[in-house]
């Protein structure tokens, strides 16, 4: 059942959304095309809580957490500049709403170890992350904190990428177990809203990731953007200008499709009929990105100094704290503690 709640302006919303991002680096075009684009739509229809997941960042960055705070503010500047509106959605910092950790504690007591050890995301990360030691108690409990993030707001909808689906499933299992143990229906089992993420690779053709250093960041300078676009891999079979290319094998083409869709047909023609070479095609992609996508975001970034962002976050944190407080009171009631 979808809950109908009203928010401030008494508009009926479809339900309540909670989502979060870990502040471990600058945001890039992948975030814009994925999470941010989705949040922008969701804020119109749902009551949204968007969170800076700084505790989750600490779980992997505990050795060198010095930049987490700076990234948190900078990430929120990107949210604001790409059209997420703090009058429509509640922005807050996870570590400033203490009830997340209170509920994390309670859920830790009732989450069987086996559920966490079997989590495919955890096993994959243990295999893949080699440059830091994440075989810690905290990291194993990552999804329990994520469950607390969601359940403390009784959110019914969680937009995530497919890598996060196992965490959502665990959240549902934890909610079910809580309700079963305490004979209540207090915690709704949230559903995942899969973020449609377009196929965009990094500039070297590998998965786009800050750890590969292959991203185009929303805050990159004009010079950096031009340089990075010029470095992008194109169809390897198109060696000379006169060779016809294959747009479906070209990462540059995917960028056009996502960020400058009105040019897609023309770019196909340049490539398939060998009219315009890859260097020129990339030069024009950089122009289009700068003019239509990153330019507007960067002009907006200037409108949000740290002081303004801190104010927005403190307003959001108060709102989030109130909602979390209500759920926590009911949780204690259900548990008779
Ligand atoms: N684990 C999420 C990620 O890395 C971030 C996150 C933390 C989150 N808590 C959440 C996402 C709650 C959705 C809901 O992307």
């Amino acid at each position: 059942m979808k809950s109908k709640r009203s928010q401030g302006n008494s508009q009926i919303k479809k339900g309540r959304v909670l989502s979060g991002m870990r502040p471990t680096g600058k945001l890039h075009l992948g975030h814009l095309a994925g999470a941010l684009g989705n949040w922008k739509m969701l804020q119109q229809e749902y009551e949204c809580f968007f969170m800076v997941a700084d505790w989750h960042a600490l779980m992997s960055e505990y050795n060198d957490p010095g930049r987490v705070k700076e990234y948190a503010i900078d990430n929120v500047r990107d949210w604001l500049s790409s059209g997420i509106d703090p009058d429509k959605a509640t922005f807050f910092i996870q570590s400033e709403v203490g009830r997340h950790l209170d509920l994390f504690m309670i859920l830790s007591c009732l989450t069987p170890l086996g559920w966490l050890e079997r989590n495919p995301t955890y096993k994959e990360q243990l295999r893949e992350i080699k440059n830091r030691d994440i075989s810690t108690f905290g990291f194993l409990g990552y999804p329990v904190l994520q469950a607390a993030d969601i359940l403390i707001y009784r959110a019914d909808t969680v937009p995530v990428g497919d890598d996060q689906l196992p965490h959502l499933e665990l959240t549902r299992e934890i909610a079910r177990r809580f309700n079963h143990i305490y004979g209540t229906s207090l915690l709704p089992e949230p559903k995942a809203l899969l973020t449609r993420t377009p196929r965009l690779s990094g500039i070297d053709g590998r998965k786009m990731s800050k750890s590969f250093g292959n991203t185009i960041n929303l805050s990159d300078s004009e010079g950096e953007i031009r340089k990075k676009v010029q470095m992008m891999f194109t169809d390897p079979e198109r060696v000379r200008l006169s060779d016809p290319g294959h747009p479906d094998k070209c990462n540059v083409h995917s960028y056009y499709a996502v960020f400058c869709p009105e040019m897609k047909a023309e770019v196909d023609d340049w490539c398939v009929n060998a009219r315009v070479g890859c260097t020129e095609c990339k030069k024009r992609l950089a122009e289009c990105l700068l003019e239509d996508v990153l330019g507007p975001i960067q002009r907006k970034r200037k409108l949000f100094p740290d002081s303004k962002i801190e104010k927005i976050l403190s307003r959001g944190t108060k709102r989030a704290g109130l909602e979390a407080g209500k759920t926590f009171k009911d949780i204690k009631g259900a548990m008779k503690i």
Side-chain angles (χ1 to χ4, degrees):
M1 195 185 67
K2 274 182 187 162
S3 67
K4 296 231 184 300
R5 289 177 223 246
S6 59
Q7 200 191 16
N9 56 11
S10 82
Q11 208 186 330
I12 298 294
K13 299 281 181 180
K14 274 191 185 168
R16 183 178 278 186
V17 160
L18 179 288
S19 196
M21 272 188 204
R22 289 177 312 128
T24 55
K26 295 190 173 177
L27 300 191
H28 52 65
L29 285 177
H31 293 112
L32 184 67
L36 293 176
N38 207 28
W39 288 10
K40 196 170 161 180
M41 293 195 305
L42 290 169
Q43 67 180 354
Q44 310 292 351
E45 296 184 10
Y46 291 80
E47 183 192 7
C48 291
F49 289 83
F50 296 138
M51 169 183 82
V52 176
D54 57 345
W55 284 139
H56 278 109
L58 190 68
M59 287 179 182
S60 58
E61 312 300 311
Y62 62 88
N63 252 323
D64 185 19
R67 298 194 71 183
V68 168
K69 199 165 172 197
E70 170 194 332
Y71 287 137
I73 297 286
D74 195 68
N75 288 179
V76 174
R77 184 172 290 117
D78 282 333
W79 300 1
L80 292 161
S81 308
S82 42
I84 321 291
D85 181 349
D87 289 328
K88 295 202 174 90
T90 301
F91 293 19
F92 70 99
I93 303 223
Q94 183 186 34
S95 67
E96 296 193 1
V97 180
R99 291 311 189 191
H100 289 242
L101 292 190
D102 292 337
L103 182 55
F104 171 58
M105 169 64 207
I106 292 172
L107 301 180
S108 299
C109 297
L110 55 90
T111 304
L113 214 40
W115 289 6
L116 301 175
E117 288 164 343
R118 273 196 298 276
N119 167 16
T121 310
Y122 174 69
K123 291 199 284 192
E124 187 185 309
Q125 281 169 325
L126 279 188
R127 267 197 316 273
E128 283 184 4
I129 300 181
K130 293 279 172 249
N131 55 350
R132 53 201 150 193
D133 183 8
I134 52 164
S135 54
T136 59
F137 171 58
F139 200 74
L140 180 68
Y142 185 111
V144 183
L145 180 57
Q146 185 159 345
D149 296 336
I150 298 164
L151 299 175
I152 199 70
Y153 298 100
R154 286 178 262 196
D156 44 45
T157 308
V158 182
V160 285
D162 52 7
D163 60 315
Q164 295 291 313
L165 283 178
H167 291 166
L168 238 285
E169 199 43 47
L170 268 165
T171 302
R172 297 164 57 81
E173 279 165 344
I174 291 171
R176 212 175 303 148
R177 188 160 160 91
F178 179 96
N179 290 339
H180 172 74
I181 293 176
Y182 304 110
T184 174
S185 55
L186 179 64
L187 301 181
E189 289 179 34
K191 63 175 186 307
L193 201 67
L194 210 56
T195 306
R196 180 196 58 82
T197 334
R199 283 194 156 275
L200 281 181
S201 302
I203 57 172
D204 57 0
R206 291 190 290 172
K207 180 178 172 241
M208 195 181 326
S209 160
K210 118 188 125 65
S211 47
F212 291 150
N214 62 3
T215 62
I216 296 175
N217 299 330
L218 302 185
S219 52
D220 279 347
S221 69
E222 185 178 332
E224 275 170 316
I225 292 164
R226 286 185 199 282
K227 201 170 106 201
K228 286 182 177 179
V229 173
Q230 218 33 257
M231 282 160 63
M232 282 173 76
F233 287 18
T234 51
D235 172 12
E237 286 172 42
R238 191 169 185 214
V239 183
R240 280 176 231 91
L241 171 59
S242 56
D243 297 334
H246 307 83
D248 53 324
K249 290 187 196 154
C250 180
N251 193 23
V252 172
H253 185 264
S254 321
Y255 276 63
Y256 271 112
V258 173
F259 297 111
C260 323
E262 69 292 345
M263 289 182 68
K264 193 177 159 291
E266 194 187 347
V267 175
D268 275 357
D269 175 55
W270 296 346
C271 184
V272 175
N273 300 314
R275 287 187 214 284
V276 172
C278 296
T279 306
E280 181 62 23
C281 179
K282 289 195 273 191
K283 199 168 146 217
R284 298 201 204 170
L285 174 64
E287 291 305 331
C288 156
L289 283 177
L290 282 164
E291 215 160 286
D292 298 345
V293 184
L294 295 167
I297 290 180
Q298 296 193 354
R299 281 191 291 280
K300 282 213 195 138
R301 277 178 58 88
K302 296 206 176 78
L303 305 175
F304 297 106
D306 287 10
S307 58
K308 209 165 182 173
I309 293 174
E310 278 155 14
K311 234 183 239 153
I312 289 169
L313 284 169
S314 95
R315 186 160 55 103
T317 299
K318 259 189 218 124
R319 247 191 68 78
L322 268 169
E323 289 305 313
K326 284 187 210 160
T327 307
F328 199 71
K329 191 162 171 267
D330 292 346
I331 284 175
K332 282 176 114 178
M335 295 173 73
K336 303 194 175 62
I337 56 169

